[in-house]
Amino acid sequence: RKYTPVVLTIAFFICTVPWAFGPDVGRYWMLNGLIFMVIACPCALTISTPVTYSAGLAATAQRGIIIKGGNRLEALGNVKTVLLDKTGTITTGKFALSHLELIGERRSRKEVLELLSLMEAPSSHPLSACLVSAAKEEGVTMADKVSLRDHTILKGEGVSANVDGKQVYVGNERLFNRIGMYNISTEEVEAAKEWSEEGGTVGYIGIEGVGIIGMFCVKDTIRDEAEAVISFLQQSGIEVIMLTGDGDGAAQAVGKEIGLTESCIKSQLLPEDKLHYVSSLKGSSTNNHASISGKKKLILMVGDGVNDAPALSVADVGVAMGEGASLAMEMSDVTLMDSNLSKLLFSMNMGQKVIKTVKENIATACLVNLVAVVLTFMGKMTLLWAIISDVGVMLLVTLNGMKLLSSRTIARIEQKTPKEKKSMLPRSKTKRKGGQRYSRTLSEDRNDDDGVEMGNMENETSTSRTKRKDGQKYNMTLSEDGDDEMDNLEIV
């Protein structure tokens, strides 16, 4: 709105005022005025940004990353803080029931599993699916003649419903504290604490007027790429914070495993708590607007569930996991279709590359135009060369923007992400040493040398195998240095 009027005004005066000094002077400056208008045409400046945005969006879409617009892609390159939900984001969201303990003798294990299955079946939370599946694995199904009414999801706490005229609750400690039903023994409290410190999510089932009749623990697995992604972000100077509604014990256990300090872990958060936390971070930021300068000042939130949707909508950039709730994907700006956190790094690196490319295009267009204007006023520029320079720089910035689609550029961007992005699990090989077979894991730099660690992928200290001695079969372990430990052999 300002550039074009200014250029036209300058060109108008160049074309008209010199006529007052004679026809020859007027004709000379009339030509220069036309040349100036051609050179100052903002075609290159106008096309440089959308072409770059389109190329960047296409490159990310080819890798399963859906970004809703070029401004969101640019914002990804300006992120200074990344907030990660725990369940379904840092972890896979695929729970397994690890503990189920009855409290009192008021219900049998089968009755508790029936009630859990009945209460959790209507819910879409991954934890609910785990409990229903665990009941089926033990041959327990929902009773057909049971009346279930007023099933309610209590955000951040659990579920409640009326079963055969009795109010039943399934949820976390916060829920039972709120309703005044958390009345378990000291031993059971200690057991729950221990389960939580092991990284499990502890829940309870209770009946109004009866009390808590059972407690359970479900465990989730951390995504293979999570630790590498978080480490890379931290090394890049980006602050990483984990937000979760789980208890402090489970949150700290997961945080420790992925390399987060205690100050970077926020636990026991309700959906509105996450919303307020994101809002407070945005309010404290000195510059929370995307800028072509590339300064990282924005807040990025990654989540997958309905509980994360409010925080995703408030964050400068909301990123949803493709395996999560549809509401989260609708409220987000970016969706990782295969729910791989490494794709988050790719999209952020692509955002930074887009910013750099746009700056290159603007600088190139301005420099070429400046040289052409100088030559014009020196009398060295013709109208034909002015047209050639204008079209030429427009094609130049277009090709420079389209380079984001090239395999070479993509490879360079992918090199900035951790090596685990292609194969998240370590590659194991089998090797013989001293007549024995050893399973080993190649180190991160893939050097096949003596420094390779022995053992399985999760516990790399030792691995067990069977060996015969004096006609008997024995279980033995291979120590880290490859020596057989024959002490206390267990006869098979």
Side-chain angles (χ1 to χ4, degrees), residues 1-16 33-34 36-38 40-42:
R1 289 182 294 180
K2 295 181 180 180
Y3 178 84
T4 301
V6 170
V7 169
L8 290 177
T9 301
I10 295 174
F12 174 78
F13 283 109
I14 292 175
C15 293
T16 57
L34 295 175
F36 176 77
M37 278 197 297
V38 172
C41 179

Side-chain angles (χ1 to χ4, degrees), residues 224-296:
D224 296 316
E225 72 275 13
E227 183 179 1
V229 168
I230 290 171
S231 176
F232 184 87
L233 290 172
Q234 292 173 332
Q235 292 173 9
S236 302
I238 297 175
E239 184 182 11
V240 182
I241 300 173
M242 183 178 75
L243 308 180
T244 178
D246 287 351
D248 187 64
Q252 293 295 335
V254 173
K256 182 178 180 180
E257 191 167 346
I258 60 178
L260 290 179
T261 61
E262 187 174 349
S263 60
C264 295
I265 301 172
K266 309 298 179 183
S267 58
Q268 297 182 343
L269 299 179
L270 295 171
E272 53 267 30
D273 296 329
K274 293 182 181 180
L275 173 64
H276 295 153
Y277 185 79
V278 174
S279 300
S280 66
L281 286 181
K282 287 184 64 177
S284 62
S285 177
T286 56
N287 179 11
N288 58 357
H289 298 285
S291 169
I292 203 65
S293 65
K295 295 181 179 180
K296 299 177 180 179

Side-chain angles (χ1 to χ4, degrees), residues 173-185:
E173 181 181 340
R174 182 194 298 118
L175 168 62
F176 286 90
N177 274 323
R178 180 174 64 81
I179 62 178
M181 202 185 291
Y182 192 69
N183 52 358
I184 59 178
S185 66

Side-chain angles (χ1 to χ4, degrees), residues 139-445:
V140 177
T141 57
M142 291 181 290
D144 297 331
K145 299 180 180 180
V146 175
S147 171
L148 178 70
R149 295 183 293 107
D150 301 330
H151 187 276
T152 305
I153 296 176
L154 307 172
K155 292 184 178 181
E157 294 182 334
V159 295
S160 68
N162 189 289
V163 180
D164 288 341
K166 296 181 179 180
Q167 196 70 16
V168 180
Y169 299 90
V170 179
N172 54 26
E173 181 181 340
R174 182 194 298 118
L175 168 62
F176 286 90
N177 274 323
R178 180 174 64 81
I179 62 178
M181 202 185 291
Y182 192 69
N183 52 358
I184 59 178
S185 66
T186 306
E187 291 78 8
E188 290 157 349
V189 171
E190 290 298 323
K193 183 179 179 181
E194 183 180 343
W195 295 349
S196 180
E197 290 175 349
E198 292 174 355
T201 300
V202 180
Y204 306 87
I205 178 171
I207 303 174
E208 190 174 24
V210 177
I212 296 178
I213 61 173
M215 55 188 290
F216 57 88
C217 176
V218 294
K219 287 187 178 180
D220 199 357
T221 55
I222 297 175
R223 294 185 184 276
D224 296 316
E225 72 275 13
E227 183 179 1
V229 168
I230 290 171
S231 176
F232 184 87
L233 290 172
Q234 292 173 332
Q235 292 173 9
S236 302
I238 297 175
E239 184 182 11
V240 182
I241 300 173
M242 183 178 75
L243 308 180
T244 178
D246 287 351
D248 187 64
Q252 293 295 335
V254 173
K256 182 178 180 180
E257 191 167 346
I258 60 178
L260 290 179
T261 61
E262 187 174 349
S263 60
C264 295
I265 301 172
K266 309 298 179 183
S267 58
Q268 297 182 343
L269 299 179
L270 295 171
E272 53 267 30
D273 296 329
K274 293 182 181 180
L275 173 64
H276 295 153
Y277 185 79
V278 174
S279 300
S280 66
L281 286 181
K282 287 184 64 177
S284 62
S285 177
T286 56
N287 179 11
N288 58 357
H289 298 285
S291 169
I292 203 65
S293 65
K295 295 181 179 180
K296 299 177 180 179
K297 298 293 183 181
L298 302 185
I299 309 297
L300 182 145
M301 170 71 186
V302 188
D304 73 308
V306 174
N307 292 343
D308 303 318
L312 290 173
S313 65
V314 170
D316 295 310
V317 184
V319 180
M321 308 296 276
E323 296 176 353
S326 57
L327 179 61
M329 288 185 277
E330 182 179 347
M331 300 300 293
S332 66
D333 304 306
V334 182
T335 301
L336 309 179
M337 297 305 296
D338 60 357
S339 299
N340 191 325
L341 285 177
S342 294
K343 300 294 180 68
L344 174 64
L345 296 183
F346 181 88
S347 60
M348 293 174 66
N349 290 333
M350 178 60 74
Q352 295 172 6
K353 185 65 176 177
V354 164
I355 292 174
K356 181 181 178 181
T357 303
V358 170
K359 290 164 68 176
E360 291 173 353
N361 288 343
I362 293 175
T364 300
C366 291
L367 180 61
V368 172
N369 288 348
L370 179 62
V371 172
V373 169
V374 172
L375 292 176
T376 298
F377 285 99
M378 291 176 61
K380 305 292 185 179
M381 180 64 69
T382 64
L383 188 59
L384 176 61
W385 280 107
I387 296 173
I388 291 174
S389 67
D390 179 64
V391 176
V393 73
M394 183 176 64
L395 293 175
L396 182 62
V397 298
T398 300
L399 293 175
N400 190 47
M402 294 294 290
K403 75 181 181 183
L404 296 178
L405 288 170
S406 69
S407 57
R408 179 179 297 181
T409 301
I410 296 299
R412 289 176 181 174
I413 294 175
E414 289 181 336
Q415 286 175 359
K416 296 181 180 180
T417 60
K419 294 181 181 179
E420 287 81 358
K421 69 180 179 62
K422 289 187 177 180
S423 179
M424 302 308 171
L425 294 176
R427 182 163 53 92
S428 61
K429 295 181 68 176
T430 302
K431 184 176 181 181
R432 289 186 177 273
K433 181 177 180 182
Q436 301 292 341
R437 293 182 67 193
Y438 294 87
S439 175
R440 63 180 184 171
T441 302
L442 295 185
S443 58
E444 191 172 10
D445 59 2

